[in-house]
Amino acid sequence: RRSRQATFGTAHDLATFAGADPHLSSQIATLHRRFGPVDVIENRTLRVPGSSTTYQLRAQDPHGPYGGPMLSLVSGRYPTGPDQVALTAGLASDFRVTVGDTWHQGGTTRTVVGIVENPQSLLTAFALVAPGQVTAPTKVTVLFDAHGAAPPQNLGSNVRSITRVAPTGVFNPETIVLAIATVGMLLIALV
């Protein structure tokens, strides 16, 4: 179940919308009105300059009602203003910046205030900005709890429930670390 937290956080349900959806605001308002608190995560897919590697520019409230397990602060602090960003370690390395440096992206300059990660999905590369700071998102995810009010498939094809998501493989970060440690111990024992 921990691997599901990489996508759902502590929410039971999620809805995914195209960022360019003209009805996005009203759909989010409807989910909030119908089911209570929602956690909105805006993402824009971008490319590391000079590379085929992509990453997400993500606007998310680190203290939102459901997304907490999807964010962890490694060092520094979370961004709170429009001129601040926190990067995953790999992305900071790609851009050759550290906490306190200036990060340039798409004509916008931000100060790197922290290093973050999704502890449930350590390979995910993203730049975290304060809520509302992703202009023209490519995808918006809304986390919420339907509280069994309606089967998720009745809410729309863009809605998924954690109970209807097939479990992911056994290769989560904890399993990988355990496997590497076991192999390492076996090699040491053979010497």
Side-chain angles (χ1 to χ4, degrees):
R1 185 158 175 146
R2 286 182 56 89
S3 61
R4 291 177 181 170
Q5 287 184 338
T7 305
F8 286 85
T10 59
H12 190 267
D13 305 282
L14 69 78
T16 306
F17 301 97
D21 186 334
H23 305 290
L24 180 61
S25 295
S26 65
Q27 290 171 324
I28 293 171
T30 298
L31 287 171
H32 185 273
R33 195 170 40 257
R34 188 167 176 193
F35 302 112
V38 297
D39 210 344
V40 178
I41 303 169
E42 298 172 315
N43 282 293
R44 183 172 181 192
T45 303
L46 299 168
R47 188 172 306 281
V48 174
S51 168
S52 62
T53 304
T54 60
Y55 66 96
Q56 298 294 316
L57 180 63
R58 177 185 300 176
Q60 179 180 357
D61 180 355
H63 308 293
Y66 302 111
M70 300 166 69
L71 283 178
S72 179
L73 189 61
V74 176
S75 65
R77 62 180 177 81
Y78 290 117
T80 56
D83 57 346
Q84 300 173 355
V85 66
L87 306 171
T88 56
L91 194 57
S93 176
D94 288 345
F95 281 97
R96 297 185 176 127
V97 295
T98 60
V99 174
D101 289 346
T102 301
W103 182 62
H104 304 280
Q105 177 274 319
T108 303
T109 301
R110 293 183 171 98
T111 301
V112 179
V113 296
I115 301 296
V116 292
E117 67 184 10
N118 180 339
Q120 310 303 322
S121 181
L122 296 174
L123 299 178
T124 303
F126 62 94
L128 179 70
V129 294
Q133 297 305 307
V134 174
T135 56
T138 50
K139 180 175 100 170
V140 176
T141 302
V142 181
L143 305 174
F144 65 102
D145 278 335
H147 308 291
Q153 62 272 21
N154 292 353
L155 298 174
S157 61
N158 63 325
V159 176
R160 296 187 314 169
S161 174
I162 199 164
T163 57
R164 298 196 41 91
V165 174
T168 58
V170 296
F171 297 110
N172 60 42
E174 293 87 2
T175 304
I176 293 169
V177 169
L178 181 61
I180 291 171
T182 302
V183 169
M185 288 178 165
L186 287 172
L187 291 173
I188 290 170
L190 291 175
V191 173

